[in-house]
Amino acid sequence: MPDQRAPQADVAALIPMVRRIVAARVQDGPTAEDLVQETLVRVLAAAPRVEPGMLESYAIVTARNVVASLWRERDRHRRNQHRVVDLLPEETHDDALMAREEQSAVVQALARLSQRERDTLLAHEVAGQDTRSLAGELGSTAGAVAAQLNRTRARMRVEYLLALERIEPPTDRCRPVLFAVSSGDRRRQREVDAGRHLLECDLCARLSHPLMERGQSRDDEVCIPIRSDADIVAARQAGRELAARLGFSRTELTLIATAVSEVSRNIVRFADSGEVVIELVDQPRQGVRVLARDTGPGIPDVEMALEDGFSTYNGLGLGLPGARRLMDEFAIVSEIGRGTTVTMTKWCGER
Ligand SMILES: [Zn+2]
């Protein structure tokens, strides 16, 4: 459905990929960031005119062209130091050829995904459909759809690189390792013994480098901005779904979700806005860590705020004392006028 805001959301989703393309070709950080921005400006301007389903390819081609024009510019400067006249034509045919190769790699990579993965990815990245409405259509939850999208993107990056280089991996272990590297899922990387494989396999070692570049989201961490009651629900769901990947019981999952809910509610009530970061940890053992921070007014007396029965909620919710009881570890740092940060952890297994 056409929507004025949709292209911006789509373009934002393309940023990690554009960064990767530029970073693979331009070493200098500030220059690379300039080129990423230049690419995004052009893609944003063109988005309403681009065929549905082709925005990603369009961004790839634009990034390549923006980088190529920088090289042409530098090359011309270099030549002009020696020659008086620049004899080369403005455009070369190489760019068009590269563009075709990259588009074809995108098409091949998409073809390696399942129909469901492909449909969901395109609906989200290109048509701008949000995870909540996708979840409604798929009979799933927003958190599960977001996690699935992360995995699909990770696979897409791997398949794209393989298609671009026209390479079929030499061993059966290559794809699982590359997927684990691409998704940034450290637990999965250990399961497939990625470190060892990367030492033994030249292809994976080489392809992993672009896969590990910055700008990619981690698969075992979610960050939810908290502004409204709807965000509290999203944070609670995300916490439960992330924790469910470990061996927590259903009861424990509910406790974790409730604790996430309480610290999120605290942000909405007292600070207007903040964020909740939920991550899986594995040191000293597996668990889930929740970090809730805001830039609100701060809590004058933290000790008192943590006493049972102390409640500025007027009986609504469990508050911070409740969240502390539900988790294994709980720490709070608050500074008047600066804000409050709560860190809490639930360990998996016996305590
Ligand atoms: Zn390999």
Side-chain angles (χ1 to χ4, degrees), residues 140-147 234 236-246 253:
S140 181
T141 65
V145 169
R236 188 170 67 210
Q237 280 182 358
R240 188 186 177 101
E241 278 153 16
L242 202 56
R245 288 201 225 154
L246 304 183
L253 292 177

Side-chain angles (χ1 to χ4, degrees), residues 42 70 100 108 158 163 209 223 240 279 282 305 327 342-343:
R42 292 189 192 190
L70 170 84
R100 272 202 303 277
Q108 286 177 55
V158 171
H209 189 250
C223 176
R240 188 186 177 101
E279 63 172 336
D282 47 26
M327 301 292 276
V342 173
T343 312

Side-chain angles (χ1 to χ4, degrees), residues 1 3 6 14 25 38 56 58 63 73 97 102 112 129 171 177 190 223 232 257 280 314-315 318 321:
M1 199 193 297
D3 180 336
L14 295 170
R25 291 161 176 80
E38 172 68 21
E56 195 172 53
Y58 188 89
E73 193 61 31
L97 181 66
E102 294 216 321
R112 301 276 318 191
Q129 191 173 356
T171 78
V177 167
R190 274 197 309 279
C223 176
I232 299 176
L280 299 183
N314 300 319
L318 302 161

Side-chain angles (χ1 to χ4, degrees), residues 5 23 31 73 77 110 123 134 195 202-203:
R5 290 160 305 166
T31 305
E73 193 61 31
H77 277 297
L110 278 172
L134 280 168
D202 288 343
L203 173 72

Side-chain angles (χ1 to χ4, degrees), residues 169-171 173-175 177-178 197 201-205:
T171 78
R173 297 187 55 212
C174 294
R175 272 195 167 85
V177 167
L178 290 171
H197 183 77
C201 178
D202 288 343
L203 173 72
C204 290

Side-chain angles (χ1 to χ4, degrees), residues 336-348:
I336 296 298
R338 298 292 298 276
T340 302
T341 301
V342 173
T343 312
M344 51 190 196
T345 308
K346 188 86 170 168
W347 301 112
C348 191

